[in-house]
């Protein structure tokens, strides 16, 4: 299990990914075991393209891991599972993470340096 504290940027990415109810449902579903995209989409009740978008965001945040495997009939299947993480939020963790922030908004890119 990962015990290192996330940097500020990593924490922002994780929290932003988990702030979406559908992504939270995906992580909850995958907590029960790995699954492939088509079955996961059916069980959650969303289209595969929409699911892919959310899976990419969760994977980029380090919350899930995807692996490509071949089925017995030779079809490529993408399986996802929850990454090994332990996220604990305390005031000291947030203060430490804030000290390492390099971006003001992860969607907009690097933060601008303040001018004196």
């Amino acid at each position: 299990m990962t015990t290192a504290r996330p940097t500020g940027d990593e924490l922002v990415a994780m929290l932003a990914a988990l702030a979406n109810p559908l992504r939270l449902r995906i992580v909850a579903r995958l907590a029960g075991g790995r699954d492939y995209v088509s079955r996961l989409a059916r069980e959650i009740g969303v289209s595969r393209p929409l699911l892919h978008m959310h899976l990419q965001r969760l994977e980029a945040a380090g919350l899930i891991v995807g692996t490509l495997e071949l089925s017995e009939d030779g079809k490529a299947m993408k399986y996802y599972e929850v990454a090994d993480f332990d996220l604990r939020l305390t005031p000291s963790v947030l203060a430490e993470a804030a000290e390492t922030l390099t971006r003001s908004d992860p969607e907009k890119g690097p933060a601008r340096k303040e001018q004196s």
Side-chain angles (χ1 to χ4, degrees):
M1 182 176 326
T2 302
T3 57
R5 290 187 175 179
T7 66
D9 296 332
E10 292 167 341
L11 183 60
V12 167
M14 289 175 149
L15 293 176
L18 292 172
N20 180 286
L22 181 55
R23 288 193 288 266
L24 191 58
R25 287 177 46 211
I26 293 167
V27 172
R29 171 60 187 86
L30 292 175
R34 72 186 204 126
D35 207 348
Y36 62 94
V37 173
S38 294
R39 183 168 47 199
L40 189 57
R42 281 192 305 273
E43 289 182 3
I44 292 178
V46 298
S47 68
R48 285 192 325 234
L50 179 61
L51 179 63
H52 270 289
M53 181 191 73
H54 289 292
L55 290 169
Q56 288 172 345
R57 182 80 181 263
L58 289 165
E59 192 169 26
L63 298 168
I64 64 170
V65 178
T67 55
L68 195 58
E69 299 178 18
L70 289 179
S71 66
E72 290 180 13
D73 62 355
K75 287 175 31 178
M77 298 178 70
K78 186 91 180 233
Y79 281 87
Y80 285 92
E81 61 188 321
V82 174
D84 193 17
F85 70 91
D86 182 11
L87 184 59
R88 296 170 193 260
L89 297 178
T90 64
S92 64
V93 167
L94 295 175
E96 187 178 309
E99 291 293 321
T100 65
L101 284 170
T102 61
R103 298 176 282 179
S104 58
D105 184 342
E107 300 297 322
K108 294 181 182 175
R112 289 188 225 175
K113 302 246 185 210
E114 290 185 26
Q115 296 180 0
S116 3

